[in-house]
């Protein structure tokens, strides 16, 4: 069977020893963030992406071996497993090769070829394949047998040709030749289904489209496949010239110019059209889909990472407003911890009197609850509500920030929200979510299914298992890179901490509710079902701000506390003094502390933590304001330069909000000289930037922007 470490090391261009140690750590229950952060010496400093790739490849190779065993058992049961075939199967390093080897032995439904075999025509097919100079008509007469359903020589030859056609379609060399041919010559075409043009107008761009399979981008693949799934488009994958394909098969199977060769020649064409081409088309369809899925998932994952790591405002007293015209604006006031202190509804969009009363209410609530920031949902009536807030007069002027509402309604109707706020309706919960995501986007957004946050591309069309795995990896990575305050974190946030999960998170919160705040990291071991292994995995990522041990406030792992104490002792100081005094740290030569299980990478990480314990890796929060003269799409004119905020990034560009409820497209072609294949190299989610209006289509509500000339 496959040597996983060697195979993976070759595929990922890593050292075999690195891969072996990583596989061992994963097998023993270590998480990707833990290995990347605290086992650098073992893995040779591999990062999270590399470790996750090793984990995923191990799973794929295990699935491959599982399939290999099933195939060997099936062929052996048929009594057809030869030593040569067994070796080929054992040596196969991918699923395609494995399935090609199995294809001739794979139990299948009745086919024209299998019925011909039942009629005793297999020897005739084998004789024809030899392509000798014999009278094939005369030889075929010997197979005429009305009792078996072979009434004449034509039927005998037709049955033999069916057998030959199936053998050609199952031949590994022929299939590989066709794969290579499709790879360089196949086109993917889409046509509109008759009478579906009006119904499927959104797919108009693909009503008559043709493009090489080796050139088509992922977003176009997914768009065409969605159109096909909705019954609007008919998609086909085939070479531009099918004669070239059959000519390549002729070279493999047509060996002469006699009567037998003519039968083989015709069988090649039948095999290609009826069996081989549809099979390879399906393969390419699946391959294109898999490729498009991977690229779309990669974009989604990167967008999600940026969104989760968006700058937090921090612990401030926040008023959050969920805007609405007819139903009014739901207003909530939150304290520094995000707890709900007050809620009510204002109706500023009726009469002048209503507007005046709403402004007065906002002013009085801001003073009563000492509000430091106002979060305004960016949905319907968002800009109008922002204007109302700007008219208010505050004693201590709070900042006002437009906040994305994406996913707020999903959260407000969720079990998590009902558990947090059982006595409040969805409108209050939604407003609270808007306020909290201003204070700490990561802590609030982990409560929402990432697919509902609104930063993906065709997220409902891609492989949902792969998508979920990728998004979970991103959330876990973000949570652990930032660190979690143990005494205030929700169970949803705690569940993403390395080694914890939903069950232990629930137990931690229950313990906290019964016993009060944790005094130290070691106290975690008193939590029900949280043992030494879970403690090892999670402790370094949890913070206890009020702990007597200053290292509990840092990312230094408890397994290294003794080492830090040794450092402090060497310079005649306490750990707290060492962390507070840069001159003391400067006296330490970390090479003196290198040991068998602790090398320079870990020691360098420890020194960074002692310098800035528990440092939040997220950037500092910056207030953003739209152009207050632009409120609707009708206000836009080509050439205008406006402040905007990036809301989503796709393979073909980025969407930018300039404050009019319709995001505009900044196409990759309009990103200027800075664009190098990947939009994420130019822009980031929630990035503040200036864009120039390139075109405005008010009818279709489409806007295009450019960075060129700015």
């Amino acid at each position: 069977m496959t040597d996983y470490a060697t195979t993976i090391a070759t595929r990922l261009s890593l050292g075999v020893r690195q891969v072996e140690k990583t596989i061992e750590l994963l097998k023993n229950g270590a998480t990707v963030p833990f290995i990347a952060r605290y086992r650098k010496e073992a893995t040779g400093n591999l990062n999270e992406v590399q470790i996750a790739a090793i984990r995923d490849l191990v799973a794929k190779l295990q699935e491959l071996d599982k399939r290999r065993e099933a195939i060997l058992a099936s062929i052996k049961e048929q009594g057809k497993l030869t030593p040569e075939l067994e070796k080929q199967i054992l040596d196969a390093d991918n699923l395609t090769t494995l399935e090609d080897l199995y294809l001739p032995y794979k139990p299948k439904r009745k086919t024209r070829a299998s019925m011909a075999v039942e009629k005793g025509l297999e020897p005739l097919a084998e004789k024809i394949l030899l392509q000798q100079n014999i009278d094939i008509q005369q030889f075929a007469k010997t197979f005429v047998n009305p009792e078996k359903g072979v009434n004449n020589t034509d039927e005998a030859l037709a049955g033999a040709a069916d057998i030959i056609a199936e053998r050609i379609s199952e031949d590994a060399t022929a299939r590989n030749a066709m794969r290579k041919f499709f790879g360089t010559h196949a086109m993917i075409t889409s046509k509109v289904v008759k009478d579906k043009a009006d119904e499927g107008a959104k797919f108009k761009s693909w009503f008559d489209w043709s493009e090489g399979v080796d050139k088509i981008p992922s977003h176009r693949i997914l768009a065409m496949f969605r159109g096909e799934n909705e019954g609007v488009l008919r998609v086909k994958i085939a070479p531009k010239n099918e004669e070239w394909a059959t000519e390549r098969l002729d070279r493999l199977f047509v060996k002469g110019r006699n009567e037998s060769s003519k039968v083989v020649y015709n069988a090649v064409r039948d095999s290609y059209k009826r069996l081989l081409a549809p099979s390879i088309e399906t393969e390419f369809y699946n391959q294109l889909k898999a490729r498009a899925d991977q690229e779309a998932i990669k974009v989604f994952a990167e967008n999600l990472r940026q969104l989760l790591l968006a700058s937090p405002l921090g612990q401030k007293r926040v008023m959050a407003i969920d805007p609405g015209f007819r139903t009014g604006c739901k207003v909530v006031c939150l304290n520094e911890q995000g707890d709900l202190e007050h809620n009510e509804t204002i109706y500023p969009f009726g009469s002048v009197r209503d507007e005046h009363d709403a402004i007065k209410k906002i002013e009085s609530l801001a003073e009563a609850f000492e509000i430091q920031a106002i979060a305004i949902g960016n949905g319907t009536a968002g800009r109008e509500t922002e204007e109302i807030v700007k008219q208010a007069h505050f004693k201590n002027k709070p900042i006002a920030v437009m906040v994305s509402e994406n996913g707020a309604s999903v959260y407000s109707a969720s079990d998590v929200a009902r558990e947090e706020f059982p006595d409040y309706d969805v409108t209050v919960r939604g407003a609270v979510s808007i306020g909290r995501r201003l204070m700490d986007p990561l802590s609030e957004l982990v409560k929402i299914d990432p697919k509902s946050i609104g930063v993906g591309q065709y997220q409902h069309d891609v492989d949902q298992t792969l998508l979920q795995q990728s998004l979970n990896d991103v959330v876990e990575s973000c949570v652990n890179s930032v660190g979690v305050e143990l005494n205030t974190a929700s169970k949803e946030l705690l569940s993403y901490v390395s080694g914890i999960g939903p069950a232990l998170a629930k137990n931690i919160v229950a313990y906290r509710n019964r016993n009060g705040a944790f005094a130290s990291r070691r106290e975690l071991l008193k939590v029900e079902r949280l043992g030494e292994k879970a403690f090892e995995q999670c402790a370094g990522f949890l913070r206890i701000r009020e702990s007597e041990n200053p290292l509990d406030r840092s990312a230094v792992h408890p397994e290294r506390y003794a080492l830090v104490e040794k450092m402090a002792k060497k310079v005649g100081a306490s750990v707290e003094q060492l962390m507070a005094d840069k001159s003391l740290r400067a006296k330490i030569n970390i090479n003196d502390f290198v040991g068998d299980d602790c090398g320079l990478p870990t020691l360098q990480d420890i020194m960074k933590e002692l310098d800035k314990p528990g440092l939040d890796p997220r950037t500092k929060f910056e207030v953003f304001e739209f152009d207050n003269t632009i409120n609707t799409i009708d206000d836009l004119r080509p050439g205008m330069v406006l402040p905007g905020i990036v809301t989503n990034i796709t393979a073909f560009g980025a969407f930018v909000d300039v404050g009019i409820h319709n995001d505009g497209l900044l196409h990759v072609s309009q990103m200027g000289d800075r664009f190098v294949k990947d939009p994420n190299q130019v822009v980031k989610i929630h990035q503040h930037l200036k864009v120039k209006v390139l075109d405005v289509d008010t009818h279709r509500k489409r806007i295009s922007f450019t960075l060129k000339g700015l």
Side-chain angles (χ1 to χ4, degrees), residues 375-665:
I376 305 164
N378 70 343
T380 303
R383 286 300 303 280
E384 292 80 1
T385 302
E386 183 185 34
E387 288 304 311
I388 295 293
V389 170
K390 284 181 178 179
Q391 293 178 51
H393 297 284
F394 302 101
K395 288 186 178 179
N396 297 307
K397 188 170 177 60
I399 61 171
V401 183
M402 296 291 288
V403 176
S404 171
E405 290 184 6
N406 284 339
S409 60
V410 174
Y411 162 77
S412 63
S414 69
D415 292 339
V416 174
R418 280 193 290 273
E419 187 177 337
E420 282 193 282
F421 301 104
D423 300 324
Y424 296 95
D425 66 19
V426 292
T427 61
V428 174
R429 298 171 192 159
V432 171
S433 181
I434 290 168
R436 285 178 171 177
R437 64 175 66 183
L438 173 63
M439 298 168 72
D440 188 344
L442 179 60
S443 295
E444 191 62 20
L445 291 175
V446 294
K447 301 173 185 177
I448 304 169
D449 182 347
K451 286 180 286 188
S452 302
I453 294 177
V455 291
Q457 176 190 3
Y458 297 102
Q459 61 260 42
H460 301 294
D461 299 301
V462 301
D463 184 307
Q464 295 300 294
T465 302
L466 289 179
L467 176 63
Q468 198 63 55
Q469 173 72 67
S470 178
L471 299 185
N472 284 344
D473 282 350
V474 169
V475 178
E476 183 180 49
S477 172
C478 292
V479 169
N480 289 288
S481 68
V482 170
V484 171
E485 175 57 42
L486 179 59
N487 285 321
T488 58
S490 66
K491 71 174 186 293
E492 289 75 30
L493 187 60
L494 285 167
S495 69
Y496 284 104
V497 173
S498 167
I500 291 184
L504 282 181
K506 187 176 181 181
N507 291 351
I508 288 170
V509 172
Y511 179 92
R512 198 171 66 194
N513 290 340
R514 286 195 309 270
N515 302 285
F518 286 88
S520 70
R521 281 170 167 168
R522 295 300 302 179
E523 192 180 344
L524 275 165
L525 289 166
K526 295 181 180 180
V527 172
E528 184 182 0
R529 303 189 72 177
L530 199 155
E532 289 288 350
K533 186 64 181 179
F535 179 79
E536 175 197 62
Q537 296 297 306
C538 73
F541 302 105
L542 296 168
R543 312 278 182 268
I544 303 179
R545 195 178 295 111
E546 306 301 325
S547 174
E548 289 185 8
N549 188 335
L551 293 176
D552 280 352
R553 307 165 206 161
S554 75
V556 176
H557 197 282
E559 66 188 7
R560 303 299 178 196
Y561 283 8
L563 179 63
V564 177
E565 289 163 5
K566 190 177 176 183
M567 289 177 174
K569 187 176 181 182
K570 187 157 187 176
V571 295
S574 67
V575 171
E576 190 143 17
Q577 288 170 331
L578 182 66
M579 295 174 73
D581 192 336
K582 189 174 183 178
S583 64
L584 288 173
R585 295 194 299 277
K587 295 178 182 179
I588 293 173
N589 181 355
I590 59 174
N591 291 300
D592 295 340
F593 298 92
V594 173
D596 292 339
D597 67 336
C598 184
L600 287 175
T602 293
L603 289 164
Q604 287 164 350
D605 283 347
I606 289 172
M607 294 306 291
K608 286 178 186 175
E609 275 300 311
L610 296 181
D611 188 43
K612 295 179 179 178
L615 178 68
D616 193 324
R618 294 173 289 184
T619 56
K620 187 178 179 182
F621 183 85
E622 293 181 4
V623 177
F624 174 82
E625 288 188 5
F626 293 115
D627 186 323
N628 58 18
T629 65
I630 305 298
N631 295 293
T632 71
I633 194 170
D634 296 321
D635 296 328
L636 296 179
R637 298 289 181 274
M640 282 182 169
V641 177
L642 301 169
I645 186 166
V646 178
T647 59
N648 198 4
I649 299 174
T650 70
F652 53 85
F655 287 92
V656 180
D657 180 9
V658 292
I660 59 168
H661 307 311
N662 296 98
D663 292 352
L665 175 63

Side-chain angles (χ1 to χ4, degrees), residues 321-334:
I321 305 176
D322 188 358
F325 285 120
R326 185 179 56 82
T327 57
C329 300
K330 182 61 67 175
V331 181
V332 298
C333 297
L334 311 175

Side-chain angles (χ1 to χ4, degrees), residues 10-168:
T10 301
R11 292 189 189 180
L12 300 180
S13 299
L14 299 172
V16 174
R17 182 66 177 162
Q18 288 178 292
V19 177
E20 285 176 342
K21 293 300 293 183
T22 302
I23 292 174
E24 183 183 338
L25 287 163
L26 289 166
K27 187 177 179 181
N28 291 332
T31 68
V32 172
F34 175 81
I35 296 170
R37 181 68 177 80
Y38 297 113
R39 291 297 180 264
K40 292 182 176 180
E41 286 79 10
T43 69
N45 221 5
L46 295 183
N47 60 37
E48 287 187 4
V49 174
Q50 292 168 314
I51 295 164
I54 291 171
R55 177 202 64 195
D56 295 344
L57 266 176
V58 167
K60 286 182 180 178
L61 290 171
Q62 287 173 337
E63 283 298 311
L64 184 66
D65 276 346
K66 189 176 178 182
R67 181 60 179 155
R68 191 193 319 274
E69 289 170 8
I71 286 172
L72 285 169
S74 175
I75 299 174
K76 191 173 184 179
E77 189 178 338
Q78 296 172 45
K80 297 178 181 178
L81 185 63
T82 64
E84 182 185 13
L85 178 59
E86 183 175 22
K87 185 178 186 308
Q88 287 178 309
I89 291 171
L90 291 173
D91 289 344
D93 63 356
N94 61 78
L95 192 59
T96 299
T97 302
L98 204 54
E99 294 297 346
D100 277 356
L101 291 168
Y102 183 43
L103 194 55
Y105 308 95
K106 190 175 184 178
K108 52 180 81 76
R109 59 180 175 76
K110 255 189 179 180
T111 64
R112 282 162 49 172
S114 66
M115 289 188 285
V117 170
E118 289 174 5
K119 293 175 182 179
L121 297 173
E122 193 167 22
L124 175 59
E126 290 173 349
K127 188 70 172 177
I128 292 170
L129 277 169
L130 294 174
Q131 299 176 60
Q132 297 170 341
N133 288 316
I134 63 170
D135 187 338
I136 198 64
Q137 290 285 339
Q138 192 63 35
F139 186 68
K141 281 183 182 179
T142 63
F143 291 89
V144 174
N145 186 340
E147 290 183 6
K148 287 189 174 182
V150 184
N151 297 303
N152 51 55
T153 55
D154 287 345
E155 289 184 7
L157 289 170
D162 287 339
I163 295 170
I164 294 168
E166 187 166 277
R167 286 194 182 181
I168 291 170

Side-chain angles (χ1 to χ4, degrees), residues 175-208:
R175 295 182 72 81
N176 279 327
M178 287 301 97
R179 287 188 188 104
K180 289 179 182 177
F181 185 75
F182 267 63
T184 54
H185 294 89
M187 305 291 290
I188 180 168
T189 59
S190 64
K191 303 280 185 184
V192 64
V193 174
K194 187 178 179 182
D195 299 328
K196 291 286 185 176
D198 292 337
E199 178 185 329
K202 62 183 177 181
F203 298 106
K204 187 176 181 180
S205 298
W206 325 120
F207 281 2
D208 188 13

